């Protein structure tokens, strides 16, 4: 097992390095550079200013030179400097990663809390009104655009009822009050949850339906086991295997951010930051965020594999 | 479970209502912006939103007021050759300018602001390891001298004098007593100063600001809070707290205003069409807000690529302008709140002229457009499009994809050109691509629509001179995207840069405008307007319409 984990971690590092170069290459293929943005907003910039800045930022160097310098800094623990915000990347990125983690985790937990019971209920009441109703609810979640849902929630709960703030991450008057953050989390969490709840319901329902078709379920019912035991111990445990993949991979996204929801609610998350940094050619911010996202996906794939063996003793990892 | 949920909901409501009560103080103003801001180092900052915020806490030597007139800020008065504050040598090769700083100008820790701060700023700006955007105003100054007995009287020495020596709206000093040790320690590392400046490491440090307000909190990507600077000896600001809040989605700015999360929307907030819609709603619903519109120096236009054989013909270019009804366009799309542009200089600029004797005007005239096309040999075919030697009169028309206003303009113009037999194909690209490669490398084959942000009396060198045509040879620098080259124009641009007489400069600018309008290599569309939504109880607020924003006069704002 330990050997397996070691080799998987080694594999992860290789994949991260290879992907980092590929992404760096893609970012560099994009037209324009950060200096272009300065020209657009300042009519007094001269061609000499433009040339000087390109040299200073190293934008005139080859892709290999730029990548080597960047990876060298990363290995030394220097995440670089954000050319958009003019501060070290760690100062802008780390607080936002924390905010995104809180929002994404709340949304994920809430959606699982709603989706798993509803998915099981839909499977147990297959082709009944309950199943159709749950189906309608889940398809609503899958097909509702996040910006529309976010705006509706703001209009109802922020503008009309004034129950929750329309935007923000925390109270500006009292930023250190962690409980005071809750009202700011409610609407974006509801938006994000509703978007994923439908997917989780459909997945749980189909996994449960698959599990309920098995002979051992019929045997368990025939030998008179209580219904709850049949559902949770025999059916759900087997449905869990496919759910593990989906849930663990969803957890890998808790640091990636939700660009649209964060933008609509002016929530200081990493999604909007990454989007802006890609558009603004702020390579350092974009690359570090990308590396975190890739690492999370690879790490949670490993966790999923480990959880398989826990959920199903027949699976052994070598 | 039900109990837990109810308790959670109850607690959440209590917290959110508490937040609403706390933020509704009368002497507080919360401003919504939709554009990002960076660190507030006045030398390093380059974003419009940062300049907007910085102008409340820091001042330049001079600024432009809402009437387009230069006024002193940190300086006592504006030196000029006429008032004897500046002296040009007989051979016009050396210029000395005396800037007298206000006696009461201080940093917000009480330290006097002196010539030492100006000289230090000059030194940092010119250091090769410091990445500042616009460096020309510093590069032109050879040295800054002062007498130690009078550290408020600074002499600027120029060896290559320029007429705009006193337009120091971007000269915003750094506090030497705080920033000098950091600069000395980090200057040998590329970007070392930017990473370690106090504006990054401790932006609320006393002594960094010299304006009517000081910073109490900065959270990049979220908000900045300000309170009055106790050491500011100018007019004392009446608003006790200002919060500038970033709400990146312009569609939710209105919802934030209505939910009392913000009190006003700055010019860096709503798009023009959103402002028009909100203005109507505010009137109908009797909302306590006023929507302000102010014509600005932003010039929306269409560049024509002169490398295109069709567009090489002046008659075709003129026909393109005569064929479009710009008056109707601004009425239909902007309710007349943005005005038709006749050339690249806006009415707010002293160089502006609409005198038909000095420039060529192009009022809508479909028949004249058709005649010009006929004369150029483009005759109507059976399909109602024009042809010449079997070639169809067809052009591509590009702009930034996703910009609703520009896309509406494109559709209207396309129809009007079709009416005279010109086929126009719309091919839009994301702003990043359009400004990244397409305009920069002149890859647009026909027409491209975008805007120039300008300042009054701005040298047109980078957009009109032959050297400014981007090419591989000059490293794609310059913004003469149409590819217009006229030695006469180059000569006038040279003269303009060296002419110290304001009246003579106006005459030269008019000569340039004659070429600009007569040669018709750009189609002027409209001058954009700045828009802001303010509460009715906010008084003393005036939009400026140019890059020196209204926040330079924040001490005049008051809430009634």
């Amino acid at each position: 097992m330990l050997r397996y984990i070691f080799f998987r971690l080694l594999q992860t590092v290789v994949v991260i390095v290879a992907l980092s170069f590929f992404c760096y290459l893609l970012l560099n293929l994009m037209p324009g550079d950060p200096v272009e943005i300065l020209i657009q907003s300042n009519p007094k910039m001269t061609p000499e200013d433009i040339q000087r800045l390109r040299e200073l930022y190293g934008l005139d160097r080859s892709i290999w030179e730029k990548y080597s310098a960047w990876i060298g800094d990363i290995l030394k623990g220097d995440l670089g400097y954000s050319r958009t915000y003019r501060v070290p990347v760690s100062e802008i990125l780390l607080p936002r990663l924390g905010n995104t983690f809180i929002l994404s985790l709340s949304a994920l937990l809430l959606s699982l809390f709603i989706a798993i019971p509803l998915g099981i209920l839909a499977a147990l009441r297959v082709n009944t009104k309950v199943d159709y109703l749950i189906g309608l609810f889940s398809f609503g979640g899958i097909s509702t655009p996040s910006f529309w849902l976010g705006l509706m929630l703001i209009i109802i709960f922020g503008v009309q009822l004034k129950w929750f703030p329309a935007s923000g991450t925390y109270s500006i008057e009292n930023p250190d009050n962690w409980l005071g953050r809750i009202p700011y989390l409610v609407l974006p969490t509801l938006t994000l949850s509703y978007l994923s709840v439908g997917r989780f319901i459909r997945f749980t329902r189909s996994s449960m339906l698959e599990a309920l078709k098995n002979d051992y379920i019929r045997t368990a019912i025939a030998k008179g086991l209580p219904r709850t035991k049949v559902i949770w111990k025999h059916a759900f445990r087997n449905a869990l295997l496919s759910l593990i993949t989906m849930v663990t991979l969803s957890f890998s996204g808790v640091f990636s951010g939700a660009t649209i929801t964060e933008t609509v609610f002016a929530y200081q998350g990493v999604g909007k930051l990454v989007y802006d940094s890609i558009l603004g050619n702020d390579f350092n911010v974009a690359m570090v965020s990308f590396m975190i996202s890739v690492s999370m996906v690879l790490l949670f794939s490993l966790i999923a594999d480990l959880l398989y063996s826990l959920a199903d003793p027949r699976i052994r990892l070598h | 479970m039900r109990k837990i949920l109810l308790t959670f909901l109850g607690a959440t409501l209590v917290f959110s209502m508490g937040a609403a009560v706390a933020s509704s103080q009368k002497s507080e103003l919360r401003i919504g912006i939709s554009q990002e801001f960076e660190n507030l180092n006045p030398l390093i900052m380059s974003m419009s939103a940062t300049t907007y915020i910085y102008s409340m806490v820091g001042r330049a030597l001079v600024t432009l007021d809402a009437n387009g007139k230069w006024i002193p800020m940190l300086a006592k008065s504006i030196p000029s050759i006429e008032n004897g504050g500046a002296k040009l040598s007989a051979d016009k090769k050396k210029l000395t300018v005396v800037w007298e700083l206000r006696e009461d100008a201080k940093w917000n820790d009480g330290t006097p602001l002196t010539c030492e701060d100006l000289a230090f700023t000059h030194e940092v700006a010119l250091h090769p390891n410091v990445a500042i955007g616009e460096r020309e105003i510093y590069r032109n100054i050879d040295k800054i001298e002062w007498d130690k007995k009078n550290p408020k009287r600074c002499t600027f020495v120029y060896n290559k004098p320029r007429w705009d020596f006193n337009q120091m709206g971007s000269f915003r000093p750094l506090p030497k007593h705080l920033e000098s040790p950091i600069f000395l320690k980090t200057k040998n590392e590329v970007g070392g100063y930017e990473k370690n400046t106090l504006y990054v490491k401790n932006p609320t440090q006393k002594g960094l600001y010299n304006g009517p307000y000081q910073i109490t909190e900065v959270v990049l990507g979220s908000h900045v809070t300000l309170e009055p600077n106790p050491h500011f000896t100018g007019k004392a600001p009446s608003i006790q707290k200002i919060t500038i809040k970033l709400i990146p989605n312009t569609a939710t700015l209105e919802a934030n205003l209505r939910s009392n999360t913000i009190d006003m929307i700055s010019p860096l907030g709503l798009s023009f069409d959103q402002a028009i819609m909100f203005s109507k709603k505010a009137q109908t619903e009797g909302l306590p807000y006023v929507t302000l519109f102010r014509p600005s120096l932003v010039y929306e236009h269409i560049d024509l690529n002169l490398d295109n054989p069709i567009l090489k013909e002046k008659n075709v270019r003129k026909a393109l302008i005569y064929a479009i009804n710009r008056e109707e366009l601004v009425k239909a799309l902007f309710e007349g709140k943005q005005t038709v542009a006749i050339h690249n200089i806006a009415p707010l600029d002293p160089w502006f002229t609409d005198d038909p004797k000095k420039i060529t005007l192009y009022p809508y005239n479909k028949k004249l457009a058709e005649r010009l096309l006929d004369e150029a040999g483009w005759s109507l075919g059976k399909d109602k499009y024009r042809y010449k030697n079997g070639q169809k009169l067809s052009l591509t028309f590009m702009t930034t994809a996703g910009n609703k206003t520009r896309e509406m303009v494109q559709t209207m113009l396309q129809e009007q050109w079709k009416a005279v037999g010109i086929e126009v194909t719309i091919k839009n690209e994301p702003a990043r691509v359009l400004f990244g490669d397409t305009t920069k490398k002149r890859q647009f084959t026909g027409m491209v629509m975008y805007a120039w942000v300008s300042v009054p009396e701005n040298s047109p060198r980078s957009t009109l001179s032959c050297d400014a045509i981007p090419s591989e040879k000059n490293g794609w620098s310059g913004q003469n995207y149409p590819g217009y080259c006229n030695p006469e124009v180059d000569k006038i641009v040279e003269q303009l840069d060296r002419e110290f007489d304001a009246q003579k400069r106006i005459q030269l600018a008019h000569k340039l405008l004659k070429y600009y309008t007569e040669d018709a290599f750009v189609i002027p569309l409209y001058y954009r307007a700045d828009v802001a939504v303010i509460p009715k109880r906010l008084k003393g607020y005036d939009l400026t319409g140019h890059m020196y924003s209204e926040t330079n006069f924040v001490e005049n704002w008051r809430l009634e």
Side-chain angles (χ1 to χ4, degrees):
Chain A
M1 179 72 130
L2 280 175
R3 189 181 153 84
Y4 173 81
I5 294 172
F6 173 76
F7 278 107
R8 278 294 299 271
L9 285 174
L10 200 68
Q11 199 181 16
T12 303
V13 172
V14 174
V15 172
I16 287 172
V17 173
L19 278 176
S20 73
F21 178 70
F22 185 65
C23 275
Y24 201 86
L25 188 70
L26 283 180
L27 277 174
N28 273 272
L29 286 178
M30 288 170 73
D33 58 45
V35 181
E36 301 294 334
I37 296 157
L38 295 180
I39 303 169
Q40 292 299 321
S41 61
N42 189 346
K44 287 191 171 269
M45 289 270 291
T46 62
E48 290 79 28
D49 288 329
I50 295 164
Q51 191 54 33
R52 172 178 53 81
L53 286 175
R54 287 204 173 116
E55 281 169 22
L56 201 67
Y57 288 148
L59 298 170
D60 54 345
R61 287 187 288 170
S62 73
I63 176 85
W64 290 105
E65 286 175 295
K66 283 191 273 187
Y67 178 75
S68 315
W70 175 78
I71 199 91
D73 287 344
I74 290 286
L75 291 174
K76 281 187 264 172
D78 178 5
L79 300 184
Y81 182 70
S82 162
R83 288 190 197 121
T84 304
Y85 296 96
R86 312 259 180 172
V87 292
V89 171
S90 53
E91 284 190 25
I92 184 93
L93 192 65
L94 297 181
R96 293 205 184 201
L97 278 172
N99 293 338
T100 287
F101 176 75
I102 295 168
L103 173 62
S104 304
L105 193 66
S106 326
L108 185 60
L109 293 177
L110 181 66
S111 47
L112 289 173
F113 183 71
I114 297 168
I116 291 179
L118 284 182
I120 293 172
L121 186 65
L124 294 174
R125 300 273 190 279
V126 67
N127 296 331
T128 65
K129 280 181 185 169
V130 174
D131 183 27
Y132 297 146
L133 212 64
I134 294 171
L136 191 71
F137 175 72
S138 53
F139 281 118
I142 292 165
S143 50
T144 305
S146 57
F147 68 89
W148 181 84
L149 180 62
L151 274 174
M152 290 303 112
L153 290 177
I154 289 175
I155 290 167
I156 296 166
F157 295 105
V159 179
Q160 303 293 337
L161 299 171
K162 295 195 172 16
W163 283 7
F164 302 107
S167 67
T169 315
Y170 52 80
S171 161
I172 292 172
E173 284 77 22
N174 204 355
D176 300 325
N177 179 4
W178 281 86
L179 279 176
R181 287 185 174 226
I182 296 173
Y184 292 87
L185 269 174
V186 174
L187 299 183
T189 303
L190 283 177
T191 308
L192 275 180
S193 300
Y194 189 49
L195 299 177
S196 51
V197 87
R199 197 161 44 96
F200 288 147
I201 288 176
R202 300 303 298 170
F203 208 82
T204 312
R205 180 184 176 273
S206 60
S207 305
M208 273 301 279
L209 278 178
E210 199 65 37
L212 286 168
K213 277 183 200 158
N214 285 312
D215 292 343
Y216 52 81
I217 298 291
R218 197 168 56 228
T219 310
I221 296 168
K223 74 178 185 184
L225 279 179
R227 188 176 157 77
T228 47
K229 203 169 183 181
V230 175
I231 293 166
W232 291 105
K233 195 175 175 188
H234 295 277
F236 186 67
R237 178 96 193 249
N238 282 285
L240 205 59
L241 274 181
S242 44
L243 269 175
I244 282 173
T245 317
M246 192 182 61
V247 173
T248 44
L249 285 179
S250 300
F251 267 100
S252 71
V254 294
F255 284 110
S256 306
T259 310
I260 296 171
T261 308
E262 286 172 7
T263 307
V264 168
F265 290 99
Y267 188 86
Q268 293 168 60
V270 85
K272 173 81 172 47
L273 179 73
V274 173
Y275 177 74
D276 286 341
S277 58
I278 292 170
L279 283 186
N281 252 338
D282 199 353
F283 289 171
N284 291 335
V285 176
M287 283 302 294
V288 173
S289 317
F290 162 75
M291 297 282 279
I292 292 168
S293 299
V294 168
S295 309
M296 285 296 127
V297 171
L298 295 171
L299 184 71
F300 276 91
S301 310
L302 174 63
I303 293 173
D305 288 350
L306 297 175
L307 287 176
Y308 284 152
S309 66
L310 289 178
D312 185 351
R314 291 169 299 175
I315 300 173
R316 289 284 170 266
L317 303 170
H318 299 287
Chain B
M1 179 53 109
R2 215 175 137 189
K3 271 186 182 173
I4 295 171
L5 279 175
L6 282 173
T7 314
F8 172 76
L9 193 65
T12 307
L13 282 173
V14 168
F15 281 122
S16 55
M17 283 167 179
V21 170
S23 60
S24 61
Q25 294 161 10
K26 199 192 166 194
S27 60
E28 182 186 352
L29 185 69
R30 292 159 304 169
I31 307 171
I33 57 171
S34 63
Q35 296 182 19
E36 293 277 356
F37 53 92
E38 78 236 86
N39 91 57
L40 287 152
N41 184 309
L43 207 56
I44 310 292
M45 65 186 185
S46 61
M47 292 180 175
S48 308
T50 322
T51 314
Y52 182 84
I53 297 166
Y54 182 83
S55 300
M56 298 191 206
V57 296
R59 293 283 146 99
L61 286 176
V62 296
T63 197
L64 263 185
D65 68 9
N67 300 316
K69 193 178 164 224
W70 288 101
I71 55 162
M73 297 295 269
L74 289 173
K76 267 188 195 168
S77 59
I78 303 179
S80 66
I81 291 175
E82 292 78 31
N83 67 18
K87 285 192 175 68
L88 192 61
S89 64
D91 59 0
K92 292 193 174 181
K93 283 188 177 165
K94 190 173 178 183
L95 177 73
T96 50
V97 183
V98 176
W99 286 96
E100 293 241 25
L101 296 174
R102 286 170 58 121
E103 288 303 329
D104 55 1
K106 284 179 192 160
W107 296 101
N108 64 327
D109 58 357
T111 308
L113 194 152
T114 66
C115 301
E116 277 197 61
D117 296 310
L118 304 194
F120 170 67
T121 308
H122 181 241
E123 184 191 352
V124 179
L126 291 183
H127 198 280
N129 285 340
V130 179
I132 75 162
E134 173 204 343
R135 200 161 77 168
E136 204 173 8
I137 62 162
Y138 303 102
R139 196 172 39 226
N140 291 335
I141 304 165
D142 286 285
K143 55 184 170 182
I144 298 175
E145 298 169 329
W146 67 97
D147 183 345
K148 279 190 180 162
K149 286 180 197 157
N150 189 0
K152 292 271 185 183
R153 194 172 192 275
C154 329
T155 306
F156 286 32
V157 181
Y158 297 79
N159 285 328
K160 281 182 190 160
R162 280 174 58 111
W163 64 269
D164 55 356
F165 62 86
N166 55 9
Q167 296 189 355
M168 290 291 199
S170 308
F171 199 119
R172 301 179 181 97
L174 292 169
K176 187 185 175 191
H177 64 293
L178 295 177
E179 290 286 277
S180 180
I182 298 162
F183 177 65
L184 291 173
K185 204 170 152 188
T186 57
K187 67 178 182 182
N188 294 327
E189 179 198 340
V190 175
Y193 171 68
E194 289 119 284
K195 288 176 196 164
N196 294 290
T197 165
L198 279 172
Y199 293 93
V200 170
K201 295 291 179 191
N202 186 12
T204 56
Q205 161 95 43
K206 295 274 189 294
L208 291 177
Y209 310 102
N210 59 54
Y213 284 89
Q214 59 189 6
I215 304 270
T216 51
E217 192 187 12
V218 184
V219 180
L220 291 178
S222 172
H223 64 274
V224 177
T225 52
L226 318 171
E227 63 179 30
N229 168 7
H231 295 281
F232 183 72
T233 48
K235 184 180 176 182
S238 88
I239 299 169
Q240 291 308 302
K241 186 177 177 188
I242 293 182
T243 304
I244 300 113
K245 198 169 187 304
L246 173 66
I247 298 160
N249 187 320
T250 57
T252 57
L253 271 169
E254 185 186 328
N256 277 275
L257 193 69
R258 285 170 177 263
S259 69
N260 200 28
T261 309
I262 53 173
D263 302 308
M264 64 170 274
I265 302 174
S266 86
L268 305 173
L270 295 179
S271 63
F272 190 82
D273 52 322
Q274 286 171 324
I276 292 249
M277 275 172 67
F278 181 78
S279 165
K280 284 179 190 163
K281 278 191 265 180
Q283 269 186 340
T284 324
E285 297 175 36
L287 298 176
Y289 301 105
V290 186
T291 311
L292 303 173
F293 296 88
R294 164 97 197 190
S296 79
L297 290 169
V298 180
Y299 165 59
E300 190 80 22
H301 64 281
I302 302 170
D303 277 357
L304 307 177
N305 190 333
L306 300 182
D307 290 349
N308 184 322
I310 295 172
L311 294 171
K312 271 191 179 11
E313 295 178 70
K314 198 197 276 189
N315 272 0
V316 174
R317 303 201 297 265
K318 285 189 167 187
L320 279 168
I321 314 181
Y322 278 123
I324 55 173
N325 191 339
R326 292 171 291 173
E327 290 290 348
E328 188 189 278
L329 184 140
V330 295
K331 266 186 210 152
L333 297 183
F334 314 128
E335 301 184 355
K337 289 190 166 83
Q338 298 196 117
T339 50
V340 170
I342 48 177
H343 45 65
N344 59 337
I345 293 174
L348 201 59
D349 193 317
W351 290 355
F352 175 84
T353 179
D354 55 1
D355 184 349
K357 287 176 198 153
K358 292 177 178 164
I359 57 168
T360 308
L361 295 169
Y362 295 87
Y364 173 58
N365 192 334
K366 189 176 166 229
K367 282 191 178 156
L368 182 55
E370 286 169 333
R371 206 183 74 206
L372 286 168
L373 291 172
D374 287 337
E375 282 172 13
W378 294 94
S379 41
L380 271 181
K382 282 179 190 165
D383 59 356
K384 304 265 176 81
Y385 285 112
R386 290 179 182 267
Y387 290 85
K388 185 175 165 183
N389 304 326
Q391 188 199 356
K392 198 176 188 178
L393 181 44
S394 178
L395 296 163
T396 55
F397 186 12
M398 305 181 85
T399 192
T400 44
N403 183 318
K404 210 172 120 197
T405 307
R406 283 186 178 148
E407 285 169 353
M408 284 193 295
V409 170
Q410 271 186 318
T411 315
M412 276 190 83
L413 298 184
Q414 190 184 35
E415 281 303 307
Q416 293 181 356
W417 280 321
K418 188 180 173 186
V420 294
I422 303 170
E423 184 188 59
V424 168
T425 311
I426 291 171
K427 188 183 162 215
N428 293 342
E429 290 179 344
R432 174 67 192 273
V433 181
L434 190 78
F435 298 121
D437 265 359
T438 308
T439 51
K440 188 177 97 176
K441 296 186 178 171
R442 302 186 64 234
Q443 288 170 352
F444 62 103
T445 54
M447 307 185 279
V448 60
M449 173 165 59
Y450 63 98
W452 279 126
V453 182
S454 188
V455 286
E457 301 181 280
N458 191 31
S459 168
R461 183 181 287 275
S462 67
T463 52
L464 293 187
S465 67
C466 298
D467 291 344
I469 300 173
S471 65
E472 202 165 1
K473 207 173 149 190
N474 66 12
W476 305 109
S477 65
Q479 288 97 49
N480 183 347
Y481 300 137
Y484 176 73
C485 183
N486 182 339
E488 282 301 313
V489 166
D490 277 8
K491 217 182 280 175
I492 301 170
V493 170
E494 281 296 326
Q495 286 174 314
L496 192 60
D497 280 352
R498 282 184 277 117
E499 181 55 64
F500 280 79
D501 185 310
Q503 283 310 312
K504 283 184 185 162
R505 276 201 306 274
I506 291 175
Q507 286 166 13
L508 288 168
H510 291 175
K511 271 190 190 176
L512 278 180
L513 285 179
K514 182 68 189 170
Y515 282 108
Y516 188 88
T517 52
E518 178 54 30
D519 289 346
F521 51 93
V522 176
I523 303 177
L525 288 177
Y526 53 90
Y527 303 116
R528 278 208 220 149
D530 278 354
V531 290
V533 178
I534 62 164
K536 283 182 178 166
R537 64 195 183 105
L538 177 65
K539 307 292 174 193
Y541 179 96
D542 276 320
L543 285 174
T544 59
H546 48 68
M547 67 188 275
Y548 302 102
S549 77
E550 70 280 7
T551 50
N552 276 297
F553 308 97
V554 66
E555 62 269 40
N556 297 334
W557 301 3
R558 59 188 195 281
L559 289 166
E560 286 182 349

